[in-house]
Amino acid sequence: MTRMMGLIAFALLAVGCATNSAIKEQIDPLSNRISSIEQKQADMDAKLADIAKKQDTQSADIQGLRGDMAQAQTNTQKAQQAAADAQAAATRAEAAAQKSTKAFALGQHKGK
């Protein structure tokens, strides 16, 4: 009976033990899948880094454009003010010319 129990125990151990090749057969597909997933993750990380870099560049460009736009608005306001000043000076010059024309005409008329 003890001999029978020993044989049963040995048979169970022999059947339950896995060989190195059996373990390798089961682990290799998993290892390949994990490697593939890690490679895809690395590719995604690289793409995200590239997108972040482009976003930073675009943000800097936008800030530059905003500065240029503010400068253009300032220049436009200065130009409008200069045009208004020139218009006022032209109006004053025209009024002075009319006065001088009238004064010249009166002087010519009195001198005769």
Side-chain angles (χ1 to χ4, degrees):
M1 179 87 157
T2 56
R3 195 181 250 185
M4 180 79 109
M5 291 291 253
L7 285 174
I8 292 174
F10 179 73
L12 286 175
L13 286 175
V15 173
C17 289
T19 62
N20 283 341
S21 61
I23 292 173
K24 187 172 171 88
E25 286 176 14
Q26 291 183 356
I27 289 178
D28 280 346
L30 293 175
S31 177
N32 291 339
R33 287 181 65 190
I34 289 172
S35 296
S36 174
I37 290 171
E38 287 174 342
Q39 182 61 42
K40 287 178 183 177
Q41 179 68 34
D43 292 344
M44 294 285 275
D45 289 344
K47 287 179 183 178
L48 286 174
D50 187 44
I51 289 170
K53 184 178 176 183
K54 287 179 183 178
Q55 183 181 12
D56 291 342
T57 301
Q58 288 175 346
S59 293
D61 289 347
I62 287 171
Q63 290 299 327
L65 289 173
R66 285 182 178 158
D68 292 346
M69 189 170 69
Q71 184 64 40
Q73 287 175 341
T74 301
N75 291 343
T76 299
Q77 290 172 348
K78 287 179 181 179
Q80 287 174 339
Q81 184 61 45
D85 292 345
Q87 180 66 37
T91 302
R92 287 191 308 272
E94 188 176 325
Q98 287 175 356
K99 284 182 182 180
S100 109
T101 302
K102 286 181 183 179
F104 181 74
L106 285 176
Q108 287 292 332
H109 193 41
K110 287 183 179 182
K112 284 188 175 185

